Amino acid sequence: MPKPAIFALDDDSSVLNSIERDLRSHYGQDYRIIPINEGKTALEYLKKLEGRNETVALFLVDQRMPEMSGTEFLIEAIQAYPQAKRVLLTAYADSQAAIDSINEVGLNYYLMKPWHPPEERLYPILDELLEDWKAHVRLPYEGIRIAGTLWSLTSHEAKDFLTRHQIPYQWLDIEKDSNTRKLVENVSSETKLPVIFFPDGTILVGPDLKQLAEKVGLQTRAGLPFYDLVVIGSGPAGLAAAVYAGSEGLKCLVIEKAAPGGQAGSSPKIENYLGFPTGISGDDLARRAVSQAKRFGVEILSAQEVKQVFVKDSYRIVKLSDDTEISCHAVLIATGASFHTLKMPGADALTGAGIYYGAAYTEAMNYKDQNVFVVGGANSAAQGALYLSRFACKVTVLIRGHQPTASKYLVDALNDNEKIEVLLNTDLIEVKGTNALEQIVIKNTKDDEEKTLDASALFVFIGVLPQNKIVSDLVMCSNKGYIFTGPDLMVDKKPPPGWTLERDPFLLETSVPGIFAAGDVRYGTNHRVASAVGEGAIAYALIKEYLKTL
Ligand SMILES: Cc1cc2nc3c(=O)[nH]c(=O)nc-3n(C[C@H](O)[C@H](O)[C@H](O)COP(=O)(O)OP(=O)(O)OC[C@H]3O[C@@H](n4cnc5c(N)ncnc54)[C@H](O)[C@@H]3O)c2cc1C
C-alpha cells in the first residue's frame, strides 16, 4: 500500500516550494508529499488517488487562490476524503474566511503565513493532527475491488470467476453506496459493469473473463507449440488425468473456459469423496488438484474456451475461441456437463439478476435474511439449499417429483433444518421481475393449484446437459449428447464405421483414435466426483498406451 498523502496546494510557486521542502524534510519518510499549484488540477489528481484506493491524511491549502479558494477546494476534496485533516494557509487579511471555513468544511486549523521556523509554528500542529488522523482512520481495503450491481450478470460472473480462483476481492454495490457510485462515474461514463479497481491503480471497465484472468496473472496462453496431451476441461476428470500425465513427465496442457473445479468447484461441501470424512469444499479440492498438477509441470489455461477439435494428419488439433490452434498427440475431452436453464419467458433476462445456476457459493451472502428458492431435488440442489440456509431467513426447495432424489444423508439434513421447507409435486411455471427477480409462480402438480410468491433469488439445479458441442461432429455421441467410448462403440463386436486401426477402441477412447473422454460428458458415467477422478486417471493410463503406438 502506498504511503498516505499530504496534499499541499498554493498558487504561488515560491510558497509552494518552501511548503514542499518543509513537509518533505519532516514527513517525507511516512507520507507522500503532493504539491500542486491549482485547485482544479488538485481535484483531478484526487480522483486518481481515489480510483487507486489511496489515502489522504492531510490537506494543507492556501485560502487565496485565483481560480478556486482554499475553502471551495476543501468542500469538494472532503467528499472523497472525509477523514483527512484540513489546514488553511492564510494571510492576516483572510482570517475571517478561515474562521468561516471552520464551520463550512470542519477546518482543523488555520496557519498564518509565514510559518517559520517550522519546528515551532508548523510541525507541532501538523504532528498533532496527523497523530489524531492515524488513531481514527479506517484504512481502505488493499486488494481488488469490484464495483457493480447485484443485478448485473457480468458483475456476478467476475465475482464468481475470482471466487473460483480463490482470489480475494471486496464487493462494492453502487446501488447501496453513493461514494462507490461516484467512484465509478469518475472513471467511466459508460454503463458497462463491473468496474474493477486493482491495487496497482489499473482499472478495468466491463472486462471479459480473459482480460480479468490476464490482469490477475493467470495463464491464458499456451507456452509450447506442441503437447503430448491436451486436456479440455479442468473439473475432477480433467485435473486427475493432468496430475497423472504430469507426474509421468508428459507435456500436458489443460484448457479451461471458466475456472478450475468444474461443477465440483461450485459444491459448498462434498461429503462422499473418499478420504474426507467431514467433507471438503469443491473449491478446496480444485485448489489442491491444481497445485498438484502445476507441481508436476502441467500448464493450465484459464478463461480460454475450446471451440473445435479436429484431426490433421497424425496430429490432433485443438482450436480456441480466439482461433489459436494447439497441436498434440492426444486429446482428453473432460468438458463435463452444465445445468439445464429455465425455459420460460423472462428467465434469460433475469439470469444473474436474482436467478442463478448452481452459483449458491458466490451470491449466498447477498441474500442474508431474505426468502430464497431452490429448484431441483438432486444432490447439488440439496447442497445448495443447505448452504443458503446459513444466510437466508428461509429457503424453499421446489421439487417436481414426489420425493427428493438426493442421497439419504442430504435428505436427512434438509429435513432437520428449520429454515428449509421442501415443496414436493411442485412445478415452477413463471418468473416475474422488471430489473431483478421479484416473484415466482408455482403449481402443485396434484391439484393444479397455482401460487404467486415473493422471491429475492432463485437458485436453479435442474439436471445437466453434456458439454459435447466441440466434438459433436467428430465423435459418436448418444442422442442426448453423451460421448460414446470403448465397448459402447462396438456393434456386433465390430468397431464403429470409419475406425481404421486393427485394435478396438480403448476403454475410454472415442470413435476417433487418440481422442479420449472421461467424466460427466461420457456416456455411462455416474455423475460423481470420485467417478470423474477415477475415469481421469484411467484415461491417462490408456493415453499412455496410445502414445506407445505412435
Ligand atoms: C453444486 C454441485 C454439487 C455436487 N456435489 C457432489 C457431491 O457432493 N459428490 C459427488 O460425488 N458429486 C457431486 N456433484 C457432481 C460432480 O461435481 C460432477 O459429477 C463432477 O464435477 C464431474 O466432473 P467432470 O470433470 O466430468 O466435469 P465438470 O466438473 O463438469 O468439469 C468440466 C469442466 O470443463 C469446462 N469446459 C466445458 N466446456 C469447455 C470448453 N469448450 N473449453 C474449455 N473448458 C470447457 C467447464 O467449464 C468445467 O470446468 C455435484 C455437482 C454440483 C453441480
Side-chain angles (χ1 to χ4, degrees):
M1 186 80 183
K3 296 175 198 172
I6 296 182
F7 245 72
L9 182 58
D10 200 308
D11 63 308
D12 182 329
S13 55
S14 62
V15 177
L16 189 62
N17 285 344
S18 70
I19 305 176
E20 184 188 354
R21 188 197 53 229
D22 287 349
L23 289 177
R24 222 177 267 292
S25 72
H26 196 71
Y27 299 108
Q29 205 167 341
D30 301 323
Y31 296 89
R32 202 146 68 89
I33 312 300
I34 303 177
I36 296 186
N37 64 356
E38 208 253 317
K40 283 211 174 103
T41 317
L43 288 175
E44 284 304 311
Y45 198 91
L46 270 185
K47 279 184 190 164
K48 281 193 198 147
L49 287 188
E50 204 188 351
R52 298 204 294 255
N53 216 20
E54 293 185 30
T55 42
V56 176
L58 176 86
F59 293 109
L60 183 57
V61 182
D62 181 31
Q63 169 62 9
R64 190 178 292 195
M65 294 183 291
E67 303 274 327
M68 177 184 274
S69 74
T71 308
E72 283 165 345
F73 167 80
L74 285 173
I75 287 173
E76 302 245 345
I78 60 174
Q79 302 291 325
Y81 289 100
Q83 299 179 92
K85 298 293 174 189
R86 304 123 207 206
V87 177
L88 268 188
L89 276 175
T90 61
Y92 183 72
D94 296 327
S95 53
Q96 186 55 45
I99 292 164
D100 293 346
S101 195
I102 292 177
N103 296 324
E104 234 171 314
V105 296
L107 196 70
N108 296 102
Y109 211 90
Y110 66 92
L111 275 170
M112 293 281 190
K113 294 184 203 174
W115 56 86
H116 288 103
E119 288 73 18
E120 277 175 33
R121 301 186 54 195
L122 180 71
Y123 301 148
I125 295 152
L126 299 193
D127 282 351
E128 198 176 311
L129 289 176
L130 289 170
E131 277 309 308
D132 195 40
W133 177 82
K134 271 197 276 183
H136 296 103
V137 70
R138 273 183 52 223
L139 288 173
Y141 178 71
E142 289 183 21
I144 298 170
R145 294 169 302 147
I146 305 184
T149 68
L150 194 49
W151 320 118
S152 126
L153 177 59
T154 44
S155 303
H156 162 66
E157 284 170 346
K159 285 190 282 175
D160 196 46
F161 183 76
L162 292 185
T163 305
R164 294 283 300 271
H165 279 94
Q166 310 204 328
I167 297 173
Y169 61 84
Q170 186 185 39
W171 167 238
L172 307 173
D173 191 330
I174 59 177
E175 286 182 341
K176 290 195 178 146
D177 177 23
S178 59
N179 278 342
T180 302
R181 198 164 45 247
K182 254 192 256 148
L183 189 65
V184 166
E185 285 164 4
N186 281 346
V187 294
S188 160
S189 52
E190 303 171 59
T191 47
K192 272 182 164 181
L193 289 176
V195 176
I196 308 183
F197 300 86
F198 295 88
D200 66 358
T202 321
I203 300 167
L204 292 182
V205 179
D208 61 29
L209 293 187
K210 197 161 146 235
Q211 289 170 300
L212 183 54
E214 277 164 6
K215 178 65 204 157
V216 296
L218 297 169
Q219 187 178 353
T220 59
R221 284 169 217 288
L224 302 174
F226 188 88
Y227 291 85
D228 297 313
L229 170 65
V230 171
V231 176
I232 307 172
S234 68
L239 288 173
V243 165
Y244 285 104
S247 70
E248 300 208 10
L250 290 199
K251 286 193 191 104
C252 175
L253 175 74
V254 179
I255 305 173
E256 170 56 55
K257 69 175 176 181
Q263 296 166 76
S266 67
S267 168
K269 199 172 181 191
I270 299 166
E271 290 183 83
N272 56 357
Y273 186 59
L274 188 74
F276 295 92
T278 55
I280 178 166
S281 79
D283 267 355
D284 252 355
L285 193 64
R287 182 180 48 79
R288 287 162 188 248
V290 165
S291 54
Q292 208 171 358
K294 285 190 175 164
R295 197 166 68 86
F296 289 130
V298 173
E299 285 180 46
I300 302 180
L301 307 189
S302 290
Q304 271 290 15
E305 183 164 4
V306 172
K307 72 173 178 191
Q308 200 192 354
V309 177
F310 59 93
V311 176
K312 197 170 169 191
D313 307 324
S314 59
Y315 303 116
R316 310 288 169 261
I317 315 289
V318 174
K319 191 170 185 175
L320 306 183
S321 51
D322 62 8
D323 287 334
T324 312
E325 291 186 1
I326 297 162
S327 312
C328 56
H329 283 311
V331 172
L332 175 64
I333 314 291
T335 46
S338 64
F339 282 106
H340 281 287
T341 51
L342 293 174
K343 301 278 176 277
M344 55 187 66
D348 283 351
L350 295 173
T351 299
I355 297 183
Y356 304 99
Y357 293 93
Y361 229 175
T362 320
E363 300 298 342
M365 270 292 280
N366 293 319
Y367 293 99
K368 196 165 183 298
D369 300 330
Q370 301 190 40
N371 266 339
V372 303
F373 291 80
V374 165
V375 198
N379 280 1
S380 51
Q383 281 183 15
L386 289 165
Y387 186 73
L388 286 161
S389 70
R390 294 200 220 157
F391 307 94
C393 61
K394 183 174 176 195
V395 182
T396 309
V397 185
L398 312 175
I399 299 179
R400 181 178 269 170
H402 60 278
Q403 59 184 38
T405 53
S407 305
K408 184 179 177 306
Y409 73 94
L410 288 168
V411 177
D412 291 345
L414 287 181
N415 292 335
D416 290 347
N417 189 315
E418 285 179 356
K419 283 194 187 173
I420 296 179
E421 181 183 16
V422 177
L423 299 182
L424 300 172
N425 307 303
T426 302
D427 246 356
L428 173 75
I429 56 172
E430 202 180 337
V431 290
K432 294 181 177 180
T434 318
N435 296 320
L437 179 72
E438 287 160 22
Q439 289 184 317
I440 60 169
V441 184
I442 58 171
K443 182 165 111 177
N444 183 309
T445 53
K446 280 195 159 168
D447 57 16
D448 282 348
E449 191 197 348
E450 288 187 13
K451 270 190 201 158
T452 300
L453 306 169
D454 290 340
S456 322
L458 182 69
F459 294 84
V460 183
F461 304 82
I462 49 170
V464 289
L465 278 173
Q467 304 213 60
N468 73 334
K469 212 173 66 201
I470 55 170
V471 286
S472 56
D473 294 339
L474 182 69
V475 304
M476 286 175 61
C477 300
S478 74
N479 54 8
K480 288 192 171 164
Y482 289 98
I483 298 175
F484 286 130
T485 54
D488 294 319
L489 290 163
M490 306 293 281
V491 178
D492 294 335
K493 297 190 178 164
K494 289 202 185 86
W499 183 263
T500 51
L501 303 182
E502 282 196 7
R503 65 168 175 84
D504 291 343
F506 290 124
L507 184 67
L508 298 181
E509 198 171 22
T510 68
S511 54
V512 175
I515 299 184
F516 293 76
D520 276 16
V521 73
R522 198 183 69 80
Y523 180 80
T525 193
N526 85 337
H527 299 279
R528 290 284 183 273
V529 175
S531 313
V533 169
E535 288 186 19
I538 296 168
Y540 163 68
L542 300 168
I543 288 164
K544 198 166 136 191
E545 285 306 301
Y546 170 78
L547 294 177
K548 283 186 199 158
T549 67
L550 297 179

